[in-house]
Amino acid sequence: MTTKPDPLLDTLRACVGAPFVLAPDAPPPELEPYERDWRGRQRGRARAVVRPGSSAEVAAVVRACAAAGAAIVPQGGNTGLVLGGVPDSSGTEVLLCTRRLNRIRALDVANHSLTLEAGCVLQTAQQAAAEAGLWLPLSLASEGSCTIGGNLATNAGGTQVLRFGNARDLCLGLEVVCPDGAIWHGLSGLRKDNTGYDLRHLYIGSEGTLGIITAATLKLQPQPAAQGCAWVGVPSLPAALELLALAQRTLGPGLSGFELMGQLALQLVAQHLPALRPPLWPDWPYCVLIELSESADSETQMQARLQSLLQSALQQGCAGDAVLAESLAQAQRLWHVRESIPLAQAQEGLNAKHDISLPISRIPAFCAEAEALLAQTLPGARLVNFGHLGDGNLHFNVQCPAGADAAAFLRLHEARINALVFDCVQRHGGSISAEHGIGTLRAATLPRYKDAQALALMRQIKQALDPQGLLNPGRVLARPLPDNPPP
Ligand code: FAD
Ligand code: ZN
């Protein structure tokens, strides 16, 4: 069977060069890394995979697609967890991969800022800052693959949010290709600029639905002179919250990480990545990883401050046992265990992921209620609970009963599990997406939990900026059903 030639492919080849366009009849192993999502939940089919090498080439591709009425899916490192950056199965969406946009454009040491292209891998950006004696405090387990453009498009969180905020808080300026191919040159290193609407914040967290981020200026910090790390076994969730309050009181703004890990999350690491051996597991229902970073303290002072925190915590009963990292290598090992939980969970099999946030004070009540409901509704289902407790962000994931067929379990029960968890999140004043975004995975669910007026405003913004609806259609804002148009 011969397929009809697609004239758009020739136009795209003219925009970026033939080697940087993959046609749908390319060998499947070449297409797969772009068409399959990180979790292996979806394998889509792209009309073409196009890899521009400059902002001007991105603009040319966008103009060509707009002229042809072709939808575009921007993709960076393809580590997103909500199916926002992979094509659907229609074969009509052009996948625009940003990874060739990988130049560092400027590093302004005195201004503590770094300007770089959107396809730069986060780890490369961190290294560039470190080489100049500065620090980019954005850290995710996917940092070896995810890109700055993806981080900003999803307003990524990670393990340093407690002190430095989300990706949004680290961004000073953006360069964006708009849906008609025009370029907004907003790369500013300014910390203050009240000259009207702050467009940067529209694009950050818009998941590729309003424009394609091609470059960004990021805010850097002085490198901490010393970092210390402790791993603490806690007897309960309320105890973990007491420990957080104690750490905030005694460590002050130097507290840069406070991560929670449930017993089952650590069991999966022990089982699938045995070389990592989580400390204090399985003695406590939860473990907490505490990080302290200071620009002024010496290592010795740092250790002393953590020691004193741990002693108070043990005395007050909010810690059961603790391990203090005695070297940078030990601290890195502890972080490695924490960051390996998603990988260990992926190896255990598909699961229903919930990236939720709650007022920190409501976390114990939420967990008690959601766990009880789950146990009642689906006896044997396993709760893998871990996350950034200091930010009120839990990865509250539900795995099938041990030994069961994960895919079959999800097919049968995922919708019920999601409703149970998200309704409970809503009752406790939380959000159904803390840091991963909405993508297509949660687009149909969002209207049930998001304020109707907020959604109406979002649709108006989308309509105003992308009237043809060509950028990442159906992501964040679900496509209206034919018999159920949006109000
Ligand atoms: P992609 O997956 O390629 O895309 C994500 C979304 O952004 C898509 O909607 C895509 O269309 C859009 N997009 C990508 N690039 C651009 C661009 N240049 N312009 C416009 N839109 C664009 N996330 C967290 O927030 N915190 C975590 O702690 C965290 N841990 C993770 C751990 C693991 C092991 C994995 C696999 C993922 C984790 N994630 C986490 C999710 C993911 O890594 C982040 O969402 C990351 O920011 C995505 O970056 P990316 O370059 O891979 O984007
Ligand atoms: Zn996370």
Side-chain angles (χ1 to χ4, degrees), residues 62-94:
V62 170
R63 277 195 300 273
C65 290
I72 300 176
V73 179
Q75 185 184 89
N78 195 14
T79 66
L81 298 174
V82 291
L83 306 177
V86 281
D88 66 16
S89 55
S90 67
T92 61
E93 297 183 329
V94 171

Side-chain angles (χ1 to χ4, degrees), residues 38 74 76-80 84 142 146-147 150-151 153-154 156-158 207-208 213 435 472:
W38 187 86
N78 195 14
T79 66
S142 53
C146 65
T147 61
N151 298 151
T154 58
E207 300 183 46
I213 299 170
E435 55 176 11
N472 245 357

Side-chain angles (χ1 to χ4, degrees), residues 306-467:
L306 278 171
Q307 277 286 12
S308 138
L309 165 74
L310 296 178
Q311 264 162 15
S312 310
L314 289 166
Q315 271 162 13
Q316 291 178 24
C318 58
D321 201 352
V323 176
L324 194 59
E326 282 170 4
S327 64
L328 186 62
Q330 276 185 13
Q332 282 168 345
R333 257 188 85 80
L334 296 180
W335 272 112
H336 193 35
V337 175
R338 157 63 187 90
E339 289 179 342
S340 299
I341 295 173
L343 185 64
Q345 206 183 3
Q347 292 193 8
E348 179 71 6
L350 285 177
N351 54 84
K353 278 197 191 303
H354 309 101
D355 160 43
I356 56 177
S357 71
L358 293 141
I360 295 175
S361 51
R362 302 298 288 266
I363 285 180
F366 161 80
C367 286
E369 188 179 328
E371 276 179 53
L373 285 170
L374 269 173
Q376 237 172 46
T377 318
L378 291 163
R382 293 167 296 160
L383 179 64
V384 180
N385 188 8
F386 64 99
H388 319 287
L389 188 65
D391 315 322
N393 177 190
L394 296 178
H395 298 309
F396 196 83
N397 302 339
V398 180
Q399 200 101 35
C400 66
D405 175 340
F409 177 82
L410 281 192
R411 253 194 325 276
L412 270 179
H413 303 298
E414 188 171 11
R416 196 150 50 122
I417 296 173
N418 291 347
L420 181 156
V421 172
F422 291 152
D423 286 358
C424 194
V425 165
Q426 194 175 41
R427 283 195 293 279
H428 288 271
S431 163
I432 66 160
S433 175
E435 55 176 11
H436 295 164
I438 297 297
T440 47
L441 190 67
R442 301 286 179 231
T445 311
L446 189 63
R448 184 178 161 118
Y449 301 102
K450 184 114 182 153
D451 176 74
Q453 178 60 13
L455 274 174
L457 289 168
M458 283 164 63
R459 286 198 184 278
Q460 283 175 31
I461 293 170
K462 171 76 174 167
Q463 177 65 28
L465 297 188
D466 181 18

